[in-house]
Amino acid sequence: QVQLVESGGGLVQAGGSLRLSCAASGSIISIDVMAWYRQAPGKQRETVASITSGGSTNYVDSVKGRFTISRDDAKNTVYLQMNSLKREDTAVYYCKLYIFDYSGRRNAYWGQGTQVTVSS
């Protein structure tokens, strides 16, 4: 079994910053791609950022230059540093990790979601 625990969401004023964390624990051999998604009310879930095991990153255009994804493999944790937040960043943020677990397969695991609300 693998568990993911997210933290770091909250209420912030426009222009402010938040740092999200997603820590994995359990039957983990290694972690491949780590990613952050978000879903705003009435909208589809979208990929915000991703990072490979080699450290290559990708971002949706709307957050480029403002958000930074990083990982700490020793802690099985992925982070999302969010700066210059805008009202349109308001959403529930989810982490998704592709994990090689003791089943011998690469499985995708989702975090429970954390609310980010940006006020004007």
Side-chain angles (χ1 to χ4, degrees):
Q1 284 284 5
V2 173
Q3 297 81 38
L4 270 58
V5 177
E6 296 185 32
S7 60
L11 174 64
V12 63
Q13 286 190 331
S17 298
L18 284 174
R19 188 194 195 204
L20 306 183
S21 300
C22 172
S25 62
S27 305
I28 298 168
I29 297 176
S30 65
I31 304 178
D32 191 2
V33 174
M34 297 177 168
W36 287 96
Y37 290 71
R38 67 186 179 187
Q39 187 165 19
K43 295 187 177 181
Q44 289 191 331
R45 190 173 296 189
E46 67 171 348
T47 307
V48 176
S50 64
I51 183 168
T52 68
S53 57
S56 296
T57 58
N58 274 294
Y59 299 91
V60 67
D61 286 346
S62 61
V63 308
K64 285 180 180 177
R66 300 188 298 121
F67 290 11
T68 302
I69 188 171
S70 62
R71 60 190 288 165
D72 184 338
D73 289 327
K75 296 182 179 179
N76 290 331
T77 299
V78 61
Y79 304 97
L80 186 67
Q81 177 67 44
M82 305 185 293
N83 298 329
S84 302
L85 282 160
K86 304 176 180 179
R87 287 193 64 184
E88 50 264 42
D89 295 319
T90 295
V92 178
Y93 285 71
Y94 300 88
C95 60
K96 183 179 182 181
L97 275 57
Y98 290 88
I99 297 175
F100 290 95
D101 57 30
Y102 287 175
S103 72
R105 295 187 297 271
R106 178 179 177 266
N107 294 307
Y109 293 88
W110 287 92
Q112 81 278 13
T114 186
Q115 177 70 46
V116 171
T117 302
V118 184
S119 63
S120 58

